[in-house]
Amino acid sequence: MRTRHTPRRRTDRSVGTFTRIGVFSVRHRRAVVVGWLAVAIVMGAFARGLEGRLGQGGFDVPGSDSNRVATLLASRFEGQSTATALVVVQSSSLAVTSPPFRATLAGIVRRVSATPGVAGVQSLLSTAGPTFVSPDRHTTYLVAALRGSQNRQLLTAARVQANAARGVPAAFRVDTGGGPAFYNRLTDISKADLTRAETVSFPVTLAVLLIAFSSLVAAGIPVLLALLSLIVTLGALYFLAGVLGMSVYVTNTASIIGIGVGIDYALFVVTRFREELRRGREVPDAVVASIATSGRAVALSGTTVALALAGMFLIDMEAFRSMAIGSMAVVAVAVIAALTLLPAVLSYVGPAVDRLAIPLVTARPRADGRGMWHRWAMGIMRRPWTFALASLTVLVLLAAPLLSIRLGQSGPRILPPAEGPRVATQELAAAFGPGVTGPVEILVRTPGDAASPAGLAAVQRLVERLRADPQAARIEALTTLVPRATLATYQALYAHGPAAVPPALRPAAASLADWNHGARISLVVVQTRSAPESAPAEAFVKRLRADEVPAAGLAGRALVGGTTAFDVDLENDVAHHLPIVVGSVLALSFLLLVSAFRSLFLPLKAIVMNMLSVGAAYGIIVAVFQWGWLSHLLRFTPDGTIEVFVPLFLFSMLFGLSMDYEVFLMSRIREEWVRTGDNELAVARGLEGSGRTITSAALVMVTVFAAFASSRLIIFKELGLGLAVAVAVDATIVRTVLVPAVMKLMGRWNWWMPRWLDRALPSIGLEAEAGDRQAGGR
C-alpha cells in the first residue's frame, strides 16, 4: 500500500538563486566562456611552476617527542641529524680494510661531504669503529647527516645518491638509503604513476561516457570540464603554495578528486539538460531548468564533499592540510564551472549535444517514466525486508575484516624491488642488522654538564636498563665507548672535557653531547634487532617511554626520537584525531542534510549508509593489503599492516563522494515527493530519473580510481582500490537496493520533521520551485 501525504510547502529564501545563475550564464554566455578560457590559460601557465613550490615531506607531528628530538639534534649537535642518508658500499672481491677499498671509500666520503646540505659524515675512516664493518668484511656504510627543512633534506639525499655513485670502479656497488632518500623516490614514483594513471583513465572514462550518452559531444563536455577545473585548481594552488607550506601530495589528491567530481557534476547537469530538451523546452529554458534542479544538487553535493574533506584540517600536519586544500579547491572549482561555464556552453551547443551519435544499444527513457529503473525500484519495494536484510548482510560481510585492522608504516618495502633506497635498506639489514637503518635516539637532559659525574651517572642508569632489553642490539652513549669500562672509568675519562679524550675516541664522543651549546644534553643511540617500522621496534619505543626512562630516574628529562618513534607518534596522532574528525564531519553533515531534506530520518539514513560504504571499503583493503588476498594480481608483497594515514584520508574522501550519489538521488526523489505526495511513487520515479546517471557516474569514478590502484606504490594502491570499491558498492548495493527498500519500510516517516525545527533551520531546497522550473530565459 502506497503512503500518501500532502507535503508542506515553505518559502525558501534561496528560491531563484540558481535560476538567476542559469539566466546570467545564458544571457552572458560569450563573456562567461571567454572569461573561463582566459582564466584557464593564465592558471595553466602558473600550474607549470607549482611543483617547484611544493614541499616533499609534510608528515612531521608538531610538538611530538620525535619532532622535538629532530629539532634539538639539528640545532644543538654538530654534524647530527635524525635525517640521514645511508650510503652502502660493497665489493664482492675486496675486503673493507684493503687499500683499494679504502681509497674508493675515501673518494665517496669526500664527494658526499662536499654536497651542499650535508652537515657531516661518519664512516669507517672517521671513527675506525668496528660497527662500520660487516662480519664478512665486504660491506661498509657511511652516515651523512642532512640539515635544513624536510624538503631540503629530500633534495640533498638525491644529490648524495648521485655524488656517491659517481666515478666508482666497476668492482663496487653503491646504493643510498635512509628516510630522505626513500621519500624522495616515493615522490618521484608517485608523480610518474599519477601521469600514467591519468593517461590510462581518460580514454576509458570517455568510453564509459560514450556508452552512457551515445553521443561524442555529450560525452566530451564532462571530460573537458573536468580537465579545465583541474588546470584552474593547479594554477590557484601555485599561489596558495607561496603563502602556505604545501606537500607535493596535493597534486595527487587534487587530480584523483578533480577528475572524478568534475566529470560527475557535468554529467548530472548534461543529463538533465538532455531530459529537458526531450520534454520540448527551448534551449534557454532547458539550460535554466537544469541549473535550477541538477545545478542545485551539484552545489549541495559539492558542499558536503568539501565539508567531509575539511575534517583533515583537524590533523596538524602539512601533508594532511595540503591534501584537504587541494581536494576542496578542485571541488569548489568544479562546482563553479558546472554552475556557470557549463550552462553557457550548453546554450551554445543546444540540440547539437546529441550529435556525433555513437551506434550503441542504449535504453532510451520511456515517455511515461516507467522504464527499467522504475520497474527495478517497484520490485525492490514489493519485498523490502528481503532486499534490506540481504544488502545489509553483504555490507557487513565486506566490512568484517576491519575488526582486525593493524596500522603501521611500511617503509622502503613499499618501493619497487629495484629502487636504490629499498636495495640499500636490504643490504644494510643483511650485513649489519635490520635496526641499523633507523636507530632509536634518546636525548637526556643531564643534571649539570653531560660529562660531569652526575650527568654520566644518569646516562649510565639508562644504558644499564637498555642492555637488559632483548630488543637493543647495540648502544652508543658517552658511557659505552670503552668495552667493559666502569662508570668511574668514564668519569675520569671526561674529567677534563672532550678535548682531553683520547684521539681514537674523540670523533665518537663529539657526536654524543651538545658540547658547543652548553653540554647539557647527552645522546644515547640504540640499534634495534628489528626493522624500524616493525611491530617489535614500535613496542620497544613505547616500552622505553613508559617504563625504561622513568625506571632510570629520567622521567620528564628524556625524549625518545628516531624513525620508529616518529612512526609511533604519527600513529598516535592519527588514532587520537580520527574519532574527532569522524564525529565532526558526521555532525555537520547531518545538520546540512536536515536543512536540505527537511527530514530527520533521511539525513540519518544517508549517514548510516555512507558509513556502511566506508566500512566495506575498509574491510576490502584489510583483506587485500593486510591479509594478502589478490596480492599476486595487484603485484605487491603484503607486510601485515595498513598505511597509518589511509583510513583517515579514505574516510574524508569516501564520505563526501558517497554523499554525491545520495544528494543526486534524493533530489530527484524529493522533487517527485513535492509534486505527488506519494512516497512509493516518488522513490520509483526518483530512481528512474537518476539511476542510470548515478551508475554511469560511479563507473567513471571507479575507472579513475582503479587506474590509481595500478600504481607501483602500495599507498596509492590502497587508496585507489578503497575508493573504487566504496564507490562501486555505494552506487549499486546502497543506492539502488538498500535505499528503495528502507524508504519503503519507513513510509511517511521519511519526511517527518518537527515543526519547531523546520521553522528554526534554514532551508536549502533540493528541488526547484515552480518559479525556477518556468524561469526559462526571462
Side-chain angles (χ1 to χ4, degrees), residues 26 36 67 77 102 135 163 188 203 247 252 273 277 294 308 313 340 350 433 465 469 497-498 532 597 619 631 677 707:
V26 172
W36 269 99
N67 187 254
F77 284 71
R102 292 180 71 88
N163 291 339
D188 290 343
S247 167
N252 296 74
F273 174 69
L277 287 179
S294 291
F313 281 115
T340 58
R465 300 286 307 182
D469 195 299
F597 293 160
S631 58

Side-chain angles (χ1 to χ4, degrees), residues 507-531:
S511 64
L512 294 173
D514 60 336
W515 302 110
N516 296 330
H517 294 82
R520 295 287 183 177
I521 304 176
S522 189
L523 171 63
V524 179
V525 181
V526 185
Q527 179 181 325
T528 57
R529 299 188 184 279
S530 304

Side-chain angles (χ1 to χ4, degrees), residues 264-559:
D264 266 14
Y265 294 160
L267 189 153
F268 278 95
V269 173
V270 172
T271 299
R272 187 61 180 247
F273 174 69
R274 299 174 83 199
E275 183 181 321
E276 297 296 336
L277 287 179
R278 285 194 297 268
R279 290 175 177 173
R281 286 185 183 272
E282 295 296 325
V283 170
D285 290 344
V287 171
V288 174
S290 300
I291 297 302
T293 52
S294 291
R296 187 186 295 258
V298 164
L300 179 62
S301 175
T303 303
T304 57
V305 173
L307 190 64
L309 293 168
M312 286 191 284
F313 281 115
L314 297 174
I315 306 294
D316 187 19
M317 286 184 223
E318 181 181 292
F320 280 102
R321 287 196 304 271
S322 300
M323 290 187 283
I325 290 171
S327 302
M328 293 171 68
V330 78
V331 168
V333 173
V335 169
I336 295 171
L339 295 179
T340 58
L341 176 61
L342 186 55
V345 170
L346 291 177
S347 69
Y348 273 118
V349 174
V353 72
D354 289 323
R355 287 185 182 172
L356 300 180
I358 307 299
L360 299 172
V361 178
T362 57
R364 299 286 295 180
R366 285 179 46 159
D368 60 1
R370 296 181 178 273
M372 186 273 287
W373 285 108
H374 185 283
R375 296 192 298 273
W376 172 273
M378 296 303 292
I380 296 291
M381 289 187 288
R382 278 194 291 270
R383 296 181 295 278
W385 280 110
T386 300
F387 284 102
L389 292 175
S391 300
L392 288 172
T393 300
V394 172
L395 292 171
V396 170
L397 288 176
L398 289 175
L402 173 60
L403 297 175
S404 66
I405 191 171
R406 179 176 175 269
L407 302 180
Q409 298 275 71
S410 298
R413 289 197 306 273
I414 69 172
L415 296 177
E419 288 293 330
R422 178 172 177 175
V423 172
T425 300
Q426 292 169 340
E427 292 169 344
L428 283 169
F432 299 96
V436 72
T437 58
V440 176
E441 293 151 327
I442 309 169
L443 294 183
V444 179
R445 290 193 178 274
T446 57
D449 192 294
S452 68
L456 292 171
V459 170
Q460 182 62 13
R461 289 196 303 272
L462 179 60
V463 168
E464 290 173 355
R465 300 286 307 182
L466 292 171
R467 283 174 174 160
D469 195 299
Q471 188 58 220
R474 183 168 63 86
I475 304 168
E476 294 179 56
L478 289 176
T479 60
T480 63
L481 300 184
V482 180
R484 293 179 296 278
T486 64
L487 176 61
T489 301
Y490 285 113
Q491 290 172 338
L493 180 68
Y494 297 109
H496 301 289
V501 174
L505 300 178
R506 203 172 297 159
S511 64
L512 294 173
D514 60 336
W515 302 110
N516 296 330
H517 294 82
R520 295 287 183 177
I521 304 176
S522 189
L523 171 63
V524 179
V525 181
V526 185
Q527 179 181 325
T528 57
R529 299 188 184 279
S530 304
E533 64 277 0
S534 66
E538 291 191 3
F540 174 66
V541 166
K542 294 174 183 177
R543 194 161 58 247
L544 269 179
R545 290 172 169 175
D547 301 325
E548 307 299 351
V549 166
L554 298 175
R557 290 167 49 196
L559 298 173

Side-chain angles (χ1 to χ4, degrees), residues 691-712:
R692 184 183 176 196
T693 309
I694 287 175
T695 52
S696 299
L699 191 53
V700 168
M701 285 276 198
V702 170
T703 299
V704 172
F705 297 147
F708 285 93
S710 66
S711 170
R712 290 170 290 171

Side-chain angles (χ1 to χ4, degrees), residues 127-185:
T127 65
T131 56
F132 284 93
V133 181
S134 65
D136 67 1
R137 306 183 68 78
H138 286 282
T139 303
T140 188
Y141 68 99
L142 57 92
V143 182
L146 310 181
R147 58 172 170 249
S149 65
Q150 196 174 53
N151 187 37
R152 185 182 177 190
Q153 291 165 2
L154 268 62
L155 297 175
T156 301
R159 298 191 189 104
V160 167
Q161 182 175 7
N163 291 339
R166 191 177 69 247
V168 173
F172 293 86
R173 178 186 178 112
V174 178
D175 294 293
T176 301
F182 158 65
Y183 282 111
N184 185 66
R185 285 303 298 150

Side-chain angles (χ1 to χ4, degrees), residues 23-87:
V23 170
F24 177 88
S25 298
V26 172
R27 288 181 176 175
H28 304 280
R29 58 186 183 178
R30 178 179 299 178
V32 171
V33 172
V34 171
W36 269 99
L37 290 178
V39 170
I41 292 171
V42 173
M43 289 300 190
F46 284 107
R48 295 179 180 179
L50 174 61
E51 184 178 332
R53 291 194 164 193
L54 299 177
Q56 299 190 50
F59 286 99
D60 285 332
V61 183
S64 66
D65 280 8
S66 60
N67 187 254
R68 293 165 66 191
V69 167
T71 301
L72 287 169
L73 283 174
S75 62
R76 298 179 64 93
F77 284 71
E78 300 299 326
Q80 276 282 7
S81 172
T82 54
T84 57
L86 305 177
V87 181

